[in-house]
């Protein structure tokens, strides 16, 4: 077979170009560190490479989300720590004001500080995060959550918690609504509360109530009504007498699975009410404490009334402190979850790379 000079030259040139292309391809593989430069190099492996790159991109986004959630949760934790400090300070002031050595003037000065702490608490509830959104407004980040109209406090946010995805199938809430932090707090001991009737003319003072037997407590409203200073009846909301007893100062009055102590000297007609705990906002609790401190104490009867109000406030403050502690625990758990997920994302990203 005869091969023309032109054919030999063309074949040689084609081979040189093919070798040059292969050399160029190898050099690009070396310089980029990638075996597959175009899908034509290995279609199946190229498709898998795209999936892996998308997976790495998702992991990077998850980590960015985790950073956002961590920053906001850290801000919430700092705000809740400040809220706890306010409540602890008010508790100290309430104990101070409930001392018999205080005069009307000194209690009035203490009340001034309590109201300053109340204003600070409202400011903390209306605090904004780093992006300018209200921290405790739920999903309504542009709405100021807490408003005060004549000592009536209202919540203007919603109940939502924004969930941020920080991993495959893993989401974390980046905050808590103000309703859960400041408004949904059970008064009393969380099961029932005790109060003295405002019409009382004796010096009976309530102690802490305790749930003794949950199976007997039926969530009814009960009134301890004194027939005379030494005898009382306990009646339910329908007026039926469920217990009659005798009284001495310091006695524990027990019925229907609950009990509470009573000291002092009630008189005929005095009443003490035990009712199921209800939701009460912490702002109203502080306002009620300040109002009690501002009362003029002229005799033992007015002193007993003030002490009953302050004791009720102390119990409600303890409930609020416990609620803040529970939410701080949840925030800490979410921060730990975000940190753990970032570590897991990093390990998976390393394997994927």
């Amino acid at each position: 077979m005869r091969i023309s000079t032109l054919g030999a030259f063309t074949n040689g040139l084609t081979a040189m170009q093919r070798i040059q292309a292969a050399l160029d391809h190898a050099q690009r593989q070396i310089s980029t560190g990638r075996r597959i430069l175009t899908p034509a190099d290995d279609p199946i492996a190229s498709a898998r490479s795209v999936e892996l790159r998308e997976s790495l991109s998702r992991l990077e986004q998850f980590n960015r989300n985790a950073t956002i959630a961590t920053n906001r949760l850290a801000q919430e934790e700092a705000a809740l720590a400040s809220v706890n400090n306010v409540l602890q300070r008010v508790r100290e002031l309430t104990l101070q004001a409930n001392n018999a050595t205080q005069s009307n003037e000194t209690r009035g000065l203490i009340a001034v500080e309590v109201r300053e702490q109340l204003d600070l608490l409202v400011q903390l509830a209306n605090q904004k995060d780093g992006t300018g959104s209200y921290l405790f407004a739920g999903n309504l980040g542009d709405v100021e959550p807490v408003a005060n109209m004549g000592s009536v406090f209202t919540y203007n946010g919603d109940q939502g918690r924004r969930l941020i995805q920080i991993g495959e199938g893993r989401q974390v809430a980046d905050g808590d609504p103000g309703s859960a932090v400041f408004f949904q707090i059970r008064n009393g001991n969380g099961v029932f509360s005790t109060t003295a009737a405002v019409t009382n003319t004796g010096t009976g003072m309530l102690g802490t109530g305790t749930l003794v037997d949950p199976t007997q407590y039926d969530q009814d409203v009960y009134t301890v009504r004194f027939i005379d200073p030494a005898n009382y009846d306990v009646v339910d909301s329908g007026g039926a007498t469920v217990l009659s007893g005798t009284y001495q100062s310091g006695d524990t009055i027990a019925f229907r699975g609950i009990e509470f102590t009573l000291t002092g000297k009630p008189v005929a007609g005095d009443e003490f009410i035990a009712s199921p705990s209800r939701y009460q906002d912490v702002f109203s609790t502080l306002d009620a404490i300040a109002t009690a401190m501002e009362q003029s104490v002229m005799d033992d009867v007015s002193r007993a009334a003030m002490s009953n109000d302050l004791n009720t406030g102390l119990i409600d403050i303890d409930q609020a402190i416990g609620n803040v502690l529970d939410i701080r625990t949840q925030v800490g758990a979410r921060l730990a979850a975000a940190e753990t997920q970032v570590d897991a994302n990093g390990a998976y990203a390393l394997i994927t790379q």
Side-chain angles (χ1 to χ4, degrees):
M1 180 178 64
R2 296 178 61 187
I3 300 177
S4 67
T5 301
L6 179 61
F9 176 79
T10 301
N11 289 339
L13 180 61
T14 300
M16 291 176 63
Q17 291 175 336
R18 186 168 56 250
I19 293 172
Q20 182 65 38
L23 177 61
D24 179 65
H25 187 272
Q27 288 176 335
R28 284 190 291 134
Q29 284 180 321
I30 293 171
S31 63
T32 60
R34 296 166 52 190
R35 181 177 67 86
I36 303 170
L37 300 176
T38 65
D41 294 338
D42 189 334
I44 295 177
S46 179
R48 178 56 179 160
S49 176
V50 170
E51 293 176 359
L52 293 175
R53 282 196 296 272
E54 291 177 350
S55 179
L56 288 172
S57 178
R58 287 198 305 273
L59 290 171
E60 291 175 0
Q61 184 61 57
F62 291 154
N63 285 342
R64 286 193 292 269
N65 291 349
T67 299
I68 294 172
T70 298
N71 291 340
R72 202 163 192 271
L73 287 171
Q75 288 179 301
E76 181 182 5
E77 161 61 23
L80 291 174
S82 297
V83 169
N84 182 72
N85 291 338
V86 168
L87 297 179
Q88 292 289 357
R89 179 55 181 163
V90 172
R91 192 181 194 283
E92 294 171 3
L93 293 171
T94 305
L95 289 171
Q96 182 180 346
N98 207 14
N99 193 304
T101 62
Q102 298 290 345
S103 65
N104 289 334
E105 289 75 18
T106 56
R107 272 193 307 275
L109 294 175
I110 296 173
V112 171
E113 183 175 350
V114 171
R115 293 204 179 277
E116 290 293 335
Q117 294 293 327
L118 173 57
D119 291 341
L120 175 57
L121 189 63
V122 172
Q123 292 176 18
L124 291 171
N126 290 330
Q127 184 174 332
K128 293 183 178 181
D129 62 16
T131 64
S133 297
Y134 287 102
L135 199 58
F136 295 107
N139 290 323
L140 304 179
D142 58 344
V143 175
E144 188 174 72
V146 178
N148 176 19
M149 296 290 291
S151 296
V152 176
F153 299 88
T154 56
Y155 177 64
N156 299 317
D158 66 7
Q159 316 300 318
R161 287 180 171 87
R162 186 173 61 183
L163 297 177
I164 297 182
Q165 190 161 0
I166 60 173
E168 295 288 355
R170 183 75 178 273
Q171 294 180 325
V172 65
D174 71 343
D176 295 276
S179 55
V181 179
F182 303 104
F183 286 82
Q184 295 176 357
I185 303 171
R186 293 284 183 182
N187 67 346
N189 58 19
V191 179
F192 69 94
S193 64
T194 54
T195 55
V198 296
T199 56
N200 286 1
T201 56
T203 60
M205 291 186 291
L206 288 163
T208 304
T210 305
L211 177 66
V212 179
D213 187 351
T215 62
Q216 292 187 35
Y217 183 52
D218 57 4
Q219 302 287 319
D220 198 5
V221 177
Y222 293 95
T223 301
V224 179
R225 183 174 299 143
F226 277 82
I227 304 169
D228 55 53
N231 296 277
Y232 63 86
D233 290 333
V234 179
V235 298
D236 61 18
S237 58
T241 300
V242 300
L243 176 70
S244 296
T246 59
Y247 168 77
Q248 289 183 345
S249 180
D251 277 357
T252 296
I253 299 176
F255 54 90
R256 296 293 172 88
I258 64 175
E259 66 180 27
F260 57 88
T261 58
L262 190 63
T263 58
K265 296 179 180 180
V267 298
D270 282 1
E271 293 181 343
F272 301 89
I273 300 96
S275 55
S277 292
R278 58 180 176 79
Y279 285 133
Q280 178 172 297
D281 66 89
V282 66
F283 311 104
S284 296
T285 295
L286 268 61
D287 183 70
I289 289 174
T291 300
M293 293 178 183
E294 292 162 351
Q295 296 175 9
S296 292
V297 174
M298 308 303 296
D299 50 29
D300 290 341
V301 174
S302 56
R303 182 174 297 280
M306 181 206 65
S307 292
N308 279 324
D309 290 342
L310 292 183
N311 287 335
T312 297
L314 279 172
I315 296 171
D316 293 342
I317 281 287
D318 287 341
Q319 284 292 112
I321 291 173
N323 183 66
V324 171
L325 177 60
D326 290 341
I327 294 177
R328 289 183 70 182
T329 301
Q330 297 172 22
V331 171
R334 286 181 230 154
L335 283 168
E339 182 179 351
T340 301
Q341 188 63 48
V342 168
D343 291 341
N345 291 344
Y348 185 65
L350 180 61
I351 294 172
T352 302
Q353 288 170 345

